[in-house]
Amino acid sequence: MYRYDHYDQALVDQRVAQFRDQISRRLSGEITEDEFKPLRLQNGVYMQLHAYMLRVAIPYGLLSSDQLRMLAQVSRTYDRGYGHFSTRQNIQYNWPRLQDVPDLLADLATVQMHAIQTSGNCIRNTTSDHLAGVARDELVDPRVYCEIIRQWSTLHPEFAFLPRKFKIAVTGAPTADRAAVRVHDIGVRAIPGPGPDDPHGFQILVGGGLGRTPRIAEICREFLPREHLLSYLEAILRVYNRYGRRDNKFKARIKILVGALGIEAFSQQVEAEWALIRDGAMQLTQAEFDRVAADFADPGYAALESSDLFVQSLALSKDRALGRFVASNVIPHKQPGYSIVMISLKAKGKPPGDATAEQMELVAELADRYGFGRIVVAHEQNLVLPDVESRHLPDLHARLSALDLAEPNIGKVTDIIACPGLDYCNLANARSIPIATRISDKIEDLDYLHDLGDISLNISGCINACGHHHVGNIGILGIDKQGEEFYQLMLGGSPGDDASIGKILGPALPSAEIVDAVANVLRTYIDNRESADERFLDYVRRAGFEPFKEQLYGSNDHV
Amino acid sequence: MKLWIITGSATESGAPIYLQSSGRWTHKLSAGHPISSEDERQSLLEAARGQQKLVCDPYWIEVRRAELGHLAPVSLREKIRAEGPTISLRPVPQQLVATASRTAAASA
Ligand code: SF4
């Protein structure tokens, strides 16, 4: 993985010293909260309901075992012994004291981590496919481009005060978007070159997003030669910076601009801007590409036979706990003899995405022991051990089980994405986490869970949609109805290649009814699907909402 | 009759704090000073805004007298803010950690 050079390290160290001084001036009363707020936000410090919250960047979700150990240590030393992995592949601490933040950041800097650009109206952490570098269906390793984008966008002077925050996602798998690129401000999709011998390039999507105005991104450029990636991104950002609205926060994201101008006019603007800069210093040379790519070289895999049959036999193992785990949490690796292991942070009764210090330390140790010391944070709020020799799967499963990390539910309906909601968040209307835990408690029968197949269920505590509810196959949005928590149920969302925004099924339901309503939706699907091969999403798209409405609300005049 | 309390977040920790009748701040909502007039509410809020070293973004919340006369927040948001998250993290019990170390030792 990428290692800081002395510029990176100096920049991060200097930022810690600078923020230490700003914090000390805030604590002494020399500066007011109004003066301090923009400074703290530039360093990832938010004010939540009970405490400050610190968001730490994990570039494209990739961690070394040393970094994960440090995240655990930080949670124990400065927080309450746990951290929350977010849908931006970052980690958040919910309880740091302001006076401790400089030391916390200094500790993180020793393992090349920081909180810069995790908040504010700037280019945020570039996210990517959690299977980057190891997936069989990958055309190119997107991490190389993510790192190039990271270096370009870090403290980019022109883009420090954009109209709103800006999020870029990159996928290297043209037929399996696991990075939700169509719901980002810019989505970068690696695609093959036009001719058989032409190098790959990118399809550039723009104007996607969730929140108050959900929108699927549109194609800004069908094919971009790879050497022009940065200049083209720069051109998009310039057009956005120039024309994006600054008068109304709710209309300031690039999706609103793209919607207002129309994609054709928007891309014409971008092309005109790009023409001015495309052949300048931002052109990616082969030497620069190779320099960055060297940090993402294969970690030294052993030459092994294929383990596909072995893994299939494990999935059918008499040990049902192991069998279920392998069937749902183990993914084929590009390298024969190896597997990708997904670690669910969605154990029963546990807040989605939370991991204790002990769990983080165990995962770091297992990554060292079984997987070249690498860990990835998935945007679905799970962890990944990307390089496990398949013969170690039974041992690994036993070790994970011991710390409640072997829930066999990846991609299943209890693999719930949930934002912190009203339990922590200052902006929330309703709680998210208790709804998630109640749903996972309700679906106790693992055979039933697996029979349901792949279903995503996403929950947000307000319209800001940090829980990506619009693109859950089942989406739940918390709303406040005269002081009571109510929940809107949506169906039909998807973040992938077949991206779609879910639609509201009917009137919002009170907290006491929402979990049964989800169970009802699942039952309707099971009872009516054509076969077990018809996925929930396909059933919703084929059958529409009527069967669900009928079961849930009885007569249609309720709706 | 409506009642209010002035609240804000402590600068040092971000924790919710409530204005007392002494002019000092407390972490316990029930020890906050109940205000019954809009004029007093406004003047205490102005005074709180002047204490920017101690408190961030002060504002008023509506409270009510609960059983036994205790003050309690009216909104769920303020109730959660005063009492903490409604979920338990369920930290890994020590017993599980011990089992995990044994499993580790066995597989070493
Ligand atoms: S969706 Fe709303 S409630 Fe949830 S974390 Fe985002 S801002 Fe907070």
Side-chain angles (χ1 to χ4, degrees):
Chain A
M1 57 191 285
Y2 178 75
R3 310 292 304 169
Y4 278 12
D5 60 20
H6 67 280
Y7 291 109
D8 297 303
Q9 192 65 51
L11 186 152
V12 169
D13 291 343
Q14 281 171 16
R15 178 57 83 88
V16 174
Q18 188 184 48
F19 194 37
R20 187 184 293 279
D21 177 59
Q22 290 159 347
I23 286 178
S24 108
R25 285 191 286 141
R26 173 69 189 115
L27 288 169
S28 71
E30 204 180 311
I31 53 176
T32 64
E33 174 62 6
D34 285 347
E35 290 163 330
F36 181 61
K37 193 171 175 184
L39 303 174
R40 69 167 161 76
L41 286 176
Q42 284 183 22
N43 291 284
V45 178
Y46 287 76
M47 181 74 85
Q48 295 288 47
L49 289 183
H50 314 289
Y52 291 100
M53 182 271 276
L54 174 70
R55 181 179 296 147
V56 177
I58 302 177
Y60 34 95
L62 183 60
L63 286 168
S64 69
S65 53
D66 284 344
Q67 289 175 324
L68 186 55
R69 257 182 224 105
M70 179 56 82
L71 293 178
Q73 187 183 311
V74 158
S75 79
R76 205 180 269 124
T77 311
Y78 303 106
D79 207 84
R80 295 199 179 174
Y82 69 97
H84 174 75
F85 290 100
S86 76
T87 50
R88 302 278 320 144
Q89 300 179 291
N90 291 322
I91 188 169
Q92 299 178 173
Y93 295 108
N94 288 313
W95 306 95
R97 290 154 58 90
L98 192 56
Q99 70 201 49
D100 291 337
V101 169
D103 288 344
L104 189 167
L105 291 173
D107 285 357
L108 287 177
T110 64
V111 292
Q112 310 190 342
M113 298 190 82
H114 61 78
I116 300 166
Q117 287 182 217
T118 59
S119 174
N121 295 337
C122 54
I123 302 173
R124 304 284 189 89
N125 185 27
T126 297
T127 51
S128 191
D129 184 348
H130 54 276
L131 307 187
V134 292
R136 284 189 183 171
D137 52 15
E138 188 168 274
L139 175 68
V140 289
D141 185 342
R143 296 171 304 177
V144 181
Y145 294 105
C146 289
E147 177 53 33
I148 288 167
I149 293 171
R150 187 195 70 78
Q151 295 186 16
W152 159 77
S153 62
T154 299
L155 301 189
H156 191 308
E158 204 176 321
F159 305 136
F161 294 99
L162 294 167
R164 273 295 269 144
K165 57 187 170 183
F166 203 90
K167 299 174 181 177
I168 302 173
V170 185
T171 175
T175 56
D177 174 16
R178 289 173 288 261
V181 297
R182 289 168 182 79
V183 288
H184 278 76
D185 296 305
I186 295 179
V188 178
R189 289 182 67 226
I191 52 173
D197 297 326
D198 294 329
H200 70 267
F202 299 105
Q203 185 186 64
I204 304 292
L205 300 139
V206 70
L210 300 174
R212 197 171 293 265
T213 320
R215 201 168 182 283
I216 302 293
E218 293 178 83
I219 296 171
C220 190
R221 185 165 237 276
E222 216 32 276
F223 184 82
L224 178 72
R226 64 190 196 119
E227 63 271 24
H228 292 304
L229 179 63
L230 291 187
S231 59
Y232 201 79
L233 295 184
E234 182 122 340
I236 294 175
L237 264 298
R238 280 189 176 177
V239 170
Y240 170 53
N241 212 9
R242 192 177 307 145
Y243 299 116
R245 286 181 62 170
R246 290 173 187 269
D247 61 323
N248 182 341
K249 179 180 166 180
F250 301 124
K251 297 193 183 298
R253 295 291 291 265
I254 194 173
K255 62 189 172 188
I256 304 293
L257 179 65
V258 173
L261 289 179
I263 187 64
E264 271 177 34
F266 181 85
S267 22
Q268 277 166 13
Q269 297 270 4
V270 172
E271 294 285 327
E273 185 65 39
W274 185 48
L276 304 174
I277 56 174
R278 56 174 285 171
D279 297 320
M282 271 179 291
Q283 255 200 69
L284 185 59
T285 62
Q286 189 61 41
E288 176 60 4
F289 178 85
D290 291 345
R291 182 186 72 84
V292 178
D295 287 314
F296 299 94
D298 283 348
Y301 296 119
L304 302 171
E305 300 279 304
S306 165
S307 57
D308 289 1
L309 289 177
F310 170 70
V311 175
Q312 280 166 27
S313 72
L314 284 182
L316 300 171
S317 161
K318 281 201 187 108
D319 175 349
R320 289 315 297 137
L322 174 63
R324 283 198 188 97
F325 175 79
V326 172
S328 80
N329 295 31
V330 174
I331 298 169
H333 197 287
K334 68 175 187 186
Q335 182 72 18
Y338 287 82
S339 290
I340 304 163
V341 175
M342 303 289 304
I343 299 173
S344 169
L345 297 180
K346 319 291 174 65
K348 232 174 221 321
K350 184 177 170 293
D354 279 10
T356 63
E358 291 80 8
Q359 288 175 320
M360 289 188 246
E361 280 162 351
L362 177 72
V363 172
E365 184 211 324
L366 296 176
D368 281 339
R369 190 179 172 91
Y370 299 119
F372 301 100
R374 295 195 299 190
I375 305 100
V376 183
V377 182
H379 87 263
E380 293 91 351
Q381 304 177 286
N382 293 311
L383 298 178
V384 187
L385 290 178
D387 301 297
V388 175
E389 256 189 65
S390 302
R391 69 191 168 96
H392 294 308
L393 288 172
D395 282 351
L396 181 63
H397 173 253
R399 298 290 310 278
L400 290 170
S401 303
L403 277 194
D404 221 2
L405 287 168
E407 194 75 27
N409 65 350
I410 295 296
K412 305 291 182 283
V413 73
T414 56
D415 184 5
I416 296 169
I417 293 178
C419 77
L422 191 55
D423 280 297
Y424 294 103
C425 177
N426 223 345
L427 304 172
N429 287 325
R431 284 171 289 175
S432 306
I433 298 168
I435 304 299
T437 52
R438 281 167 54 205
I439 290 171
S440 64
D441 284 343
K442 178 102 185 167
I443 304 171
E444 260 182 315
D445 180 348
L446 287 176
D447 287 330
Y448 179 61
L449 177 72
H450 283 240
D451 187 30
L452 286 166
D454 286 351
I455 305 177
S456 59
L457 194 161
N458 300 354
I459 310 174
S460 302
C462 81
I463 195 65
N464 288 322
C466 305
H468 295 187
H469 64 276
H470 296 109
V471 288
N473 300 166
I474 301 174
I476 297 178
L477 166 65
I479 57 176
D480 176 347
K481 264 195 177 179
Q482 286 149 2
E484 296 289 318
E485 292 173 295
F486 271 68
Y487 295 88
Q488 262 175 2
L489 195 51
M490 300 172 137
L491 299 182
S494 168
D497 289 311
D498 58 350
S500 55
I501 303 292
K503 294 202 171 69
I504 297 170
L505 185 61
L509 299 160
S511 175
E513 291 176 25
I514 186 67
V515 175
D516 284 341
V518 170
N520 185 314
V521 162
L522 296 174
R523 178 52 63 195
T524 305
Y525 157 63
I526 283 274
D527 289 347
N528 294 289
R529 66 186 176 184
E530 268 174 354
S531 73
D533 290 336
E534 187 177 35
R535 294 179 312 159
F536 177 82
L537 182 61
D538 298 331
Y539 173 72
V540 173
R541 286 175 176 169
R542 176 176 66 79
F545 281 16
E546 280 318 308
F548 296 105
K549 282 183 179 174
E550 228 165 81
Q551 290 300 318
L552 190 57
Y553 297 107
S555 77
N556 287 347
D557 38 74
H558 195 103
V559 180
Chain B
M1 182 180 63
K2 280 197 172 176
L3 290 176
W4 300 279
I5 285 183
I6 305 293
T7 183
S9 302
T11 301
E12 172 270 310
S13 62
I17 48 177
Y18 305 91
L19 190 63
Q20 293 179 292
S21 48
S22 62
R24 297 159 77 105
W25 294 87
T26 172
H27 287 287
K28 284 174 68 176
L29 181 143
S30 58
H33 168 56
I35 306 162
S36 55
S37 93
E38 290 188 15
D39 287 347
E40 189 190 9
R41 189 181 79 187
Q42 194 52 34
S43 68
L44 287 176
L45 185 58
E46 292 300 331
R49 284 187 181 134
Q51 297 191 47
Q52 56 83 22
K53 180 180 169 189
L54 285 178
V55 64
C56 303
D57 300 329
Y59 61 102
W60 52 262
I61 57 168
E62 195 179 339
V63 294
R64 62 185 171 80
R65 291 254 175 230
E67 288 152 36
L68 306 176
H70 287 314
L71 292 172
V74 168
S75 76
L76 178 63
R77 177 186 193 275
E78 289 303 330
K79 184 171 154 51
I80 292 175
R81 196 166 159 265
E83 294 172 8
T86 62
I87 38 137
S88 73
L89 166 70
R90 219 178 58 147
V92 181
Q94 281 314 304
Q95 199 188 349
L96 265 183
V97 175
T99 319
S101 331
R102 277 201 301 280
T103 317
S107 67

